Amino acid sequence: MRKLLFESLIRPPLTERPPAASDTAVDELARALDGAAHKRLGRSLSIRAVDAGSCNGCELEMNALSNAFYDIERFGIRFVASPRHADVLLVTGPVTKNMREALKRTYDATPNPKWVVALGDCARNGGCFVGSYAVLRGVSEALPVDLHIPGCPPPPIEILKGLLALLEGVNSKSGPRS
């Protein structure tokens, strides 16, 4: 045990490199997202995150949007605790049979206009959980999905790009659901 302690005092800490995206690229993307939200909604964007049965990989990347590097709240984009205050439902994971009803209730509680975003491969088509007796497959089996953000898990910059595409109408079907 002493050997391990002394080695840890001498050896430098192991850390990951910072994200490759530059600060200006993230700033520009977040400003464009906030501008598109104000243009489309007349206010900032509110996101309700819903875990429909995921492994939490997508949640880690989604929560990284609130850390000091990305800090999307400085641009007015925020995560809300209630679907009654949300514009976007950001759903992660394959929809489990136990979560189907809760997901539908969350969708019904979200006021119009609203969008549904399936975040990650599992939310898109079930991912590695496909074929399980407890899984319905992707979010589109339970709700109408406006945008799929692929990845296992998608990095925070891709989540921002997807939300921007949603608000600009590039990947959305016909705008928000009314």
Side-chain angles (χ1 to χ4, degrees):
M1 186 69 174
R2 276 187 183 170
K3 181 181 176 186
L4 182 64
L5 177 65
F6 287 126
E7 284 179 4
S8 67
L9 291 174
I10 295 170
R11 199 177 318 144
L14 294 174
T15 59
E16 294 181 5
R17 294 184 181 271
S22 68
D23 289 340
T24 56
V26 173
D27 285 351
E28 287 177 19
L29 186 58
R31 285 184 205 283
L33 184 55
D34 187 44
H38 279 285
K39 182 178 174 184
R40 198 83 187 255
L41 300 169
R43 57 185 159 68
S44 296
L45 185 67
S46 299
I47 302 168
R48 170 66 173 132
V50 180
D51 181 354
S54 76
C55 67
N56 292 335
C58 292
E59 280 81 8
L60 290 173
E61 298 298 318
M62 183 175 50
N63 288 334
L65 291 172
S66 297
N67 71 17
F69 184 78
Y70 293 100
D71 191 21
I72 62 167
E73 287 207 18
R74 66 185 157 159
F75 301 106
I77 302 156
R78 64 185 194 276
F79 289 96
V80 295
S82 171
R84 299 189 191 286
H85 303 137
D87 304 309
V88 174
L89 290 180
L90 196 60
V91 185
T92 60
V95 179
T96 62
K97 291 181 181 177
N98 292 339
M99 279 298 295
R100 173 191 258 173
E101 185 62 30
L103 188 57
K104 284 185 178 181
R105 286 183 184 187
T106 302
Y107 179 79
D108 292 338
T110 306
N112 293 325
K114 58 188 164 191
W115 291 282
V116 176
V117 176
L119 180 64
D121 291 341
C122 295
R124 185 181 55 181
N125 60 11
C128 63
F129 300 103
V130 151
S132 170
Y133 66 91
V135 172
L136 296 174
R137 293 185 59 92
V139 178
S140 58
E141 297 288 322
L143 299 178
V145 175
D146 296 295
L147 177 72
H148 297 278
I149 300 176
C152 187
I157 197 84
E158 293 301 318
I159 298 171
L160 287 175
K161 287 177 184 177
L163 291 172
L164 180 60
L166 177 75
L167 288 175
E168 289 181 341
V170 173
N171 289 332
S172 63
K173 294 173 187 166
S174 60
R177 302 203 185 285
S178 301

